[in-house]
Amino acid sequence: WAIDYGAALTMRGVEGVSVDSCVFEELDGNAIFVKGYARGLVIERNDFRIIGGNIIGLLGETEAPGLPAEWGVGWNGTAGNQPRGTVIRQNIATRCGLFEKQSSFLFQSK
């Protein structure tokens, strides 16, 4: 099992970004994917229609001794490389997960 990092809109290392009143329609994969450091992201009043994967994905990065930091894996999340303070409100989604099984409106991990 794996998560696809690709999306129509991808973000990493952002602060104070707003995704407001957009239409995401007939996408083969994810609509929005945020990986690693992100603060104060607001996703609101968007319309998601016929999405092949997840609507929104939030994935943090962690570390472990002996593993390269760029892998983003391990048990230690103290570096703060995770989406924090994300607000998701007043969005509408229909027909998600057309191609990806186990998809959802919001995927959140680490």
Side-chain angles (χ1 to χ4, degrees):
W1 189 90
I3 184 74
D4 178 14
Y5 299 155
L9 177 60
T10 59
M11 290 177 266
R12 183 179 198 163
V14 298
E15 293 184 358
V17 174
S18 177
V19 181
D20 190 350
S21 303
C22 298
V23 175
F24 295 84
E25 187 171 21
E26 294 187 18
L27 302 174
D28 290 339
N30 302 317
I32 298 173
F33 201 87
V34 183
K35 185 172 189 276
Y37 180 92
R39 298 292 185 271
L41 177 63
V42 178
I43 303 171
E44 62 184 344
R45 293 184 292 269
N46 298 290
D47 190 354
F48 301 94
R49 307 175 196 155
I50 313 173
I51 307 299
N54 296 298
I55 303 297
I56 301 168
L58 304 175
L59 178 64
E61 295 175 330
T62 54
E63 300 172 352
L67 295 176
E70 60 270 10
W71 288 5
V73 298
W75 51 264
N76 185 354
T78 59
N81 292 323
Q82 305 87 22
R84 296 184 184 179
T86 302
V87 175
I88 300 170
R89 63 179 166 220
Q90 297 178 340
N91 296 285
I92 296 175
T94 57
R95 298 179 65 193
C96 78
L98 296 179
F99 305 117
E100 180 181 326
K101 303 309 171 215
Q102 297 181 341
S103 59
S104 62
F105 178 84
L106 176 64
F107 169 84
Q108 184 176 4
S109 180
K110 294 210 254 181

